[in-house]
Amino acid sequence: MATVEFLGQLSDICGRSHDVTLPNAVPDVASLRSWLNERFDGNPLAPASIRAIVNGEVAADQHRISNADRIAFFPPVGGG
Amino acid sequence: MITTDPIHPNEVMAQFRDSNPDAGAILSFTGNVRDDKNDGKTCALILQAYEPVTSQGIAEAIKTAQTRWKVTDITVRHRIGRMTPGETIVFVAAAAKHRRDAFLATDYLMDYLKTEAFFWKKEVFENSEKWIEPRAQDYDDAKRWDAKR
């Protein structure tokens, strides 16, 4: 199973963390994004400002994913 | 580096000064929770991080600062979790032989923390709450360092 996490305002919309079994039709970040958008109201992962981290590294939409991965989606960052 | 416990700037600064007895210049920046928002009194600020990515990113930014300026030591403390007005969110200190390097390294690190560090920030008011993103001014401030890379 993959761990899919949501950060910032996405954590209020989608929940902080889910263990999910990725279907074969979800081989990369882009397809995971679409797959998750179908499961939450309002297409929360659609904006281009929402990026992904796969196993600790910021990953582009074409990045391949598997059921062993830790994947997080995040809106624009900023602390301080 | 990242803590859920309150940050006490004077104590951290005293430790930093003690560990840098030979520094000619020691500079620090402290960022606190404000309560002067237009849309209501801020009751709390909630900061979220994503470890270990957040700490790794800050460590890289510290390395970059050490490469770009002649600083002998840097410390960064950043609070996460729920905090109230007056409490410290962030503390950055730099030690150097001369003041300019300490000023620039601290300034650079604060711009990194405001616009690139993996934190997310929510303001909590009496009857509502709102996730906030960096201001245009924060991004403009951070761009100053790109031009000099």
Side-chain angles (χ1 to χ4, degrees), chain B residues 8-79:
Chain B
H8 301 290
N10 292 346
E11 288 174 20
V12 185
M13 188 58 170
Q15 288 167 12
F16 189 73
R17 213 168 31 231
D18 288 349
S19 18
N20 291 283
D22 299 329
I26 293 182
L27 191 90
S28 77
F29 173 86
T30 302
N32 295 336
V33 181
R34 288 192 313 270
D35 66 352
D36 60 353
K37 296 295 176 196
N38 296 328
D39 45 352
K41 190 173 171 64
T42 305
C43 296
L45 198 62
I46 295 172
L47 264 290
Q48 192 183 67
Y50 183 60
E51 289 291 63
V53 177
T54 307
S55 289
Q56 287 166 349
I58 295 171
E60 284 295 315
I62 290 173
K63 272 191 209 160
T64 301
Q66 286 169 329
T67 306
R68 291 182 68 163
W69 298 286
K70 290 179 182 169
V71 284
T72 49
D73 197 7
I74 288 172
T75 193
V76 173
R77 304 288 169 95
H78 203 296
R79 179 109 177 255

Side-chain angles (χ1 to χ4, degrees), chain A residues 3 5-13 16 49 51 53-58 70-80, chain B residues 31 45 47-53 56 78 89-90 110 113-122 129 131-134 139:
Chain A
T3 302
E5 297 170 275
F6 299 97
L7 300 165
Q9 62 182 346
L10 293 173
S11 62
D12 283 350
I13 299 165
R16 177 68 181 76
S49 60
R51 293 185 290 157
I53 295 172
V54 178
N55 300 329
E57 301 283 343
V58 174
R70 182 186 180 198
I71 303 146
F73 286 96
F74 65 99
V77 300
Chain B
L45 198 62
L47 264 290
Q48 192 183 67
Y50 183 60
E51 289 291 63
V53 177
Q56 287 166 349
H78 203 296
I89 310 167
V90 61
M110 274 313 304
L113 291 166
K114 290 295 262 188
T115 60
E116 291 186 60
F118 289 88
F119 291 105
W120 297 270
K121 195 158 43 175
K122 179 156 74 171
E129 53 184 39
W131 288 96
I132 49 177
E133 294 179 5
Y139 289 122

